[in-house]
């Protein structure tokens, strides 16, 4: 009886092992990309056009960087600002020689698509009055989310920060801030221009002058812990003619491949 059970066990194990190995191999074919939330529409279209086998986690760059630091098994990180890439680089979590500035963007003030609000974003503009009595200004978290940090810098430079600081609706990502405006929960929000273009329920009513905030740059890199053989090829694919055309269509500025930042 024991011998029969032993051989039955070995038979089942022998059949199961190849399936387990096959599953592991299949999973290994998919890159895991950690990308800023504002890249969602463009990257999904690029992956379809380029037949990229990848799983993507879209979130605020701050949250993704912290997950990488905690040991998340990502292969690629694309941040919406330089400081969060620096954060990982300083901790030796970025693969040397793979980091470059990929994209640029603009910062915009958005309202609902049918809104009649208008403003000239310059020092002394009455942004608080535009919010109305109880309205709030949707932004990414101003101390961590890149879009929120850019928003605070621009508002501070324009001397508008004191008038709206207490009236912010801070969201976990730029897309979450965009959703607050799209759903009518806030009359105004500050997002990237590419995010505004991705949602027909909102419109841009003004762009922030580029000299009011640090340049909006998206660095991309392979991560040091990644063992995936296609990680660097993926970064090259993001600069293909197809990918470049898609990024431009979504409103991004594609930066030169030689724009290394490490």
């Amino acid at each position: 009886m024991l011998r029969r059970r032993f051989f039955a066990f070995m038979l089942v194990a022998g059949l199961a092992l190849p399936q387990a190995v096959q599953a592991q191999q299949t999973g290994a074919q998919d890159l895991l990309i950690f990308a800023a939330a504002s890249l969602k529409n463009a990257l999904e279209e690029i992956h379809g056009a380029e037949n990229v086998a990848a799983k993507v986690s879209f979130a605020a760059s701050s949250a993704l960087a912290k997950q990488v630091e905690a040991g998340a098994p990502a292969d690629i990180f694309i941040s919406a600002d330089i400081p969060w890439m620096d954060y990982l680089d300083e901790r030796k979590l970025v693969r040397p020689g793979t980091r470059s500035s990929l994209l640029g963007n603009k910062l915009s003030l958005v309202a609902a698509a049918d809104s009649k609000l208008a403003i000239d974003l310059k020092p002394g503009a009455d942004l608080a009055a535009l919010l109305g009595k109880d309205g709030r200004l949707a932004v990414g978290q101003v101390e961590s989310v890149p879009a929120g940090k850019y928003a605070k810098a621009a508002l501070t430079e324009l001397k508008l920060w004191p008038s709206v600081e207490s009236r912010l609706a801070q969201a976990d990502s730029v897309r979450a801030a965009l959703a607050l405006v799209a759903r009518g929960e806030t009359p105004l929000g500050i997002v990237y221009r590419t995010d505004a273009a991705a949602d027909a329920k909102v419109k841009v009513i003004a762009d922030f002058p580029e000299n009011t905030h640090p340049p909006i740059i998206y660095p991309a890199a392979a991560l040091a812990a990644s063992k995936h053989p296609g990680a660097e090829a993926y970064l090259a694919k993001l600069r293909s003619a197809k990918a470049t055309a898609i990024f431009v269509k979504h409103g991004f500025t594609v930066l030169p491949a030689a724009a290394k930042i490490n």
Side-chain angles (χ1 to χ4, degrees):
M1 178 68 72
L2 289 175
R3 289 181 65 183
R4 285 200 298 271
R5 288 180 179 176
F6 174 76
F7 284 119
F9 169 80
M10 292 300 292
L11 178 62
V12 172
L15 292 172
L17 184 59
Q19 294 175 352
V21 171
Q22 183 179 13
Q24 288 178 343
Q25 290 173 342
T26 301
Q29 293 175 358
D30 292 338
L31 281 159
L32 178 55
I33 315 298
F34 276 13
S38 50
L39 291 166
K40 187 176 191 303
N41 298 67
L43 274 189
E44 287 180 346
E45 186 173 344
I46 288 169
H47 290 175
E50 292 282 12
N51 296 314
V52 173
K55 296 177 181 178
V56 190
S57 178
F58 295 104
S61 303
S62 51
L64 296 172
K66 288 290 188 178
Q67 290 176 32
V68 171
E69 183 184 23
D75 300 296
I76 300 291
F77 179 49
I78 311 175
S79 174
D81 72 355
I82 290 175
W84 281 113
M85 184 66 81
D86 285 344
Y87 181 88
L88 295 183
D89 218 347
E90 290 163 2
R91 288 157 177 77
K92 310 299 182 185
L93 298 174
V94 173
R95 186 183 301 176
T98 66
R99 178 182 170 182
S100 69
S101 298
L102 179 64
L103 303 168
N105 210 336
K106 293 183 177 180
L107 193 67
S108 300
L109 183 68
V110 297
D114 59 355
S115 174
K116 305 301 183 184
L117 298 176
I119 191 172
D120 182 7
L121 287 172
K122 61 182 181 180
D126 199 350
L127 182 58
L130 220 60
L131 293 172
K133 181 180 178 182
D134 301 314
R136 291 187 173 272
L137 177 64
V139 294
Q141 292 178 359
V142 297
E143 299 303 326
S144 57
V145 174
K149 292 160 64 179
Y150 291 128
K152 181 179 179 179
L155 293 169
T156 300
E157 181 67 22
L158 292 171
K159 308 293 191 292
L160 305 180
W161 178 252
S163 68
V164 299
E165 181 181 3
S166 64
R167 304 188 62 182
L168 302 178
Q170 298 191 49
D172 290 339
S173 72
V174 66
R175 284 300 174 95
L178 179 72
L180 291 175
V181 182
R183 294 195 300 261
E185 295 180 32
T186 65
L188 295 170
I190 300 176
V191 300
Y192 300 124
R193 181 169 260 278
T194 53
D195 293 300
D199 194 326
K201 294 180 181 179
V202 306
K203 68 177 180 180
V204 173
I205 65 170
D207 288 322
F208 285 88
E210 292 186 2
N211 63 359
T212 62
H213 57 79
I216 300 174
I217 294 176
Y218 290 66
L223 294 169
S226 172
K227 305 300 182 186
H228 198 292
E232 293 187 37
Y234 174 82
L235 292 173
K237 192 162 287 191
L238 291 180
R239 294 190 177 278
S240 70
K242 284 183 182 179
T244 295
I246 290 169
F247 279 132
V248 170
K249 183 182 81 171
H250 284 272
F252 292 96
T253 301
V254 178
L255 302 177
K260 292 285 184 181
I261 51 177
N262 70 331

